[in-house]
Amino acid sequence: MPRFFLSASNISDGIVTIRGDDAQHISRSLRMKPGEHIRVCDMRKIEYDCVLEAFTPDSVTARIISSQPSDTEPPFHIRLYQALPKSDKLDLIIQKAVESGASEIIPFESERCIVKAEPTGSDKEAKKLERRQRIALEAAKQCGRGIVPTVRAPINYDAVIREIAGNASSGGLGILFYEGDGTKSLRELLCEHYPERRCGEIPLRDISIVIGAEGGFSLAEVERAKAAGLSICGLGKRILRCETASGFALACLAFWFEL
């Protein structure tokens, strides 16, 4: 069943109003007709099964048949902080992170990043951000998410540490993945914080994970993360590419909490 994301302001008195590209997609690309069914998500983890009723040149309206909480969202809010990689790797990382359950994707600059962010507020950066958010939207539609994860503009490494330290003060868990010495395994860390593994029996917190670019993190960056209270973890005996590491880490978390 086709899935569409709308703000709650487009849903009123049992009627859903769809405009813009989605309306054009329903009427022109999918060639749907009155009486056919679609699924609408309000980006607040509620899904609506709807039947199409009316078409105009710039809108489509549908009547809500039933609603239910989305059952496709992870039982935790997870943020992926991803150091900027080369070429178009970030596009793939965003797509797979959305499929794997990330709620936010935040690119950042680290010492060993080859690619640098465009100046804040520049037209080039705005276009990149728009494209990245579109990738997240399409991935959310494809995999049946109950929300559209947010892709933010790039920040610097110091801002990453400050944000995660702030979340930790309210019970959040921050993890920096590092291939060097002195790490604990992700399994060991999760056993410490979530020993039961049954989500209904433990209070789940926000989880933030930090993944490096092609060159990983410098020792100084790792020490700053430790000082801020982040846990330093490895992802096994093999060194993963940056475009593999985030999806692998998210899959490990999904297995621990969901499967």
Side-chain angles (χ1 to χ4, degrees):
M1 185 185 302
R3 175 182 291 261
F4 300 91
F5 289 90
L6 298 175
S7 68
S9 62
N10 294 95
I11 304 169
S12 179
D13 297 327
I15 298 296
V16 173
T17 304
I18 304 170
R19 298 185 176 87
D21 291 342
D22 283 341
Q24 298 296 321
H25 185 63
I26 290 170
S27 59
R28 296 185 180 180
S29 300
L30 298 178
R31 299 178 182 271
M32 299 186 78
K33 305 295 181 184
E36 294 190 76
H37 292 253
I38 61 172
R39 180 160 293 166
V40 171
C41 300
D42 67 358
M43 294 190 283
R44 297 177 179 177
K45 302 183 182 181
I46 301 294
E47 298 182 354
Y48 302 87
D49 291 329
C50 306
V51 60
L52 297 173
E53 289 198 331
F55 292 72
T56 72
D58 60 357
S59 69
V60 173
T61 57
R63 176 171 45 86
I64 295 173
I65 298 172
S66 63
S67 64
Q68 57 279 327
S70 172
D71 63 358
T72 60
E73 285 302 302
F76 50 80
H77 185 97
I78 185 162
R79 297 177 181 86
L80 166 62
Y81 291 88
Q82 172 66 56
L84 288 165
K86 294 185 294 185
S87 64
D88 59 354
K89 292 177 183 178
L90 185 58
D91 292 354
L92 178 64
I93 290 169
I94 291 169
Q95 182 188 70
K96 300 310 175 187
V98 171
E99 293 176 16
S100 301
S103 300
E104 294 181 65
I105 300 102
I106 305 99
F108 69 93
E109 284 189 31
S110 62
E111 286 183 26
R112 295 179 178 175
C113 282
I114 296 172
V115 172
K116 302 299 180 182
E118 302 295 335
T120 302
S122 68
D123 288 344
K124 194 170 183 180
E125 184 57 43
K127 289 178 180 178
K128 285 184 177 182
L129 183 59
E130 182 180 0
R131 187 188 76 249
R132 291 165 183 167
Q133 190 62 60
R134 172 62 63 175
I135 291 169
L137 172 62
E138 295 303 325
K141 288 180 179 179
Q142 182 275 324
C143 70
R145 291 289 298 268
I147 63 167
V148 180
T150 301
V151 182
R152 287 168 45 191
I155 59 178
N156 59 41
Y157 183 74
D158 287 338
V160 171
I161 298 301
R162 286 196 303 269
E163 287 189 5
I164 297 177
N167 291 329
S169 66
S170 57
L173 176 64
I175 309 170
L176 183 140
F177 289 102
Y178 177 61
E179 72 279 5
D181 295 333
T183 65
K184 64 173 61 175
S185 73
L186 181 58
R187 182 184 181 204
E188 181 182 357
L189 178 70
L190 293 175
C191 281
E192 290 177 9
H193 290 272
Y194 303 111
E196 294 299 323
R197 293 184 62 172
R198 292 187 291 275
C199 298
E201 300 180 13
I202 53 177
L204 290 181
R205 299 171 288 177
D206 285 2
I207 300 175
S208 298
I209 65 173
V210 188
I211 303 290
E214 289 83 357
F217 293 105
S218 69
L219 184 58
E221 287 175 324
V222 173
E223 292 302 322
R224 282 154 62 195
K226 284 182 183 178
L230 277 71
S231 298
I232 311 301
C233 282
L235 282 172
K237 297 180 180 180
R238 295 170 295 280
I239 296 176
L240 304 178
R241 293 178 183 270
C242 66
E243 64 268 34
T244 306
S246 58
F248 186 88
L250 289 165
C252 290
L253 293 171
F255 175 79
W256 190 268
F257 293 116
E258 298 185 79
L259 302 182

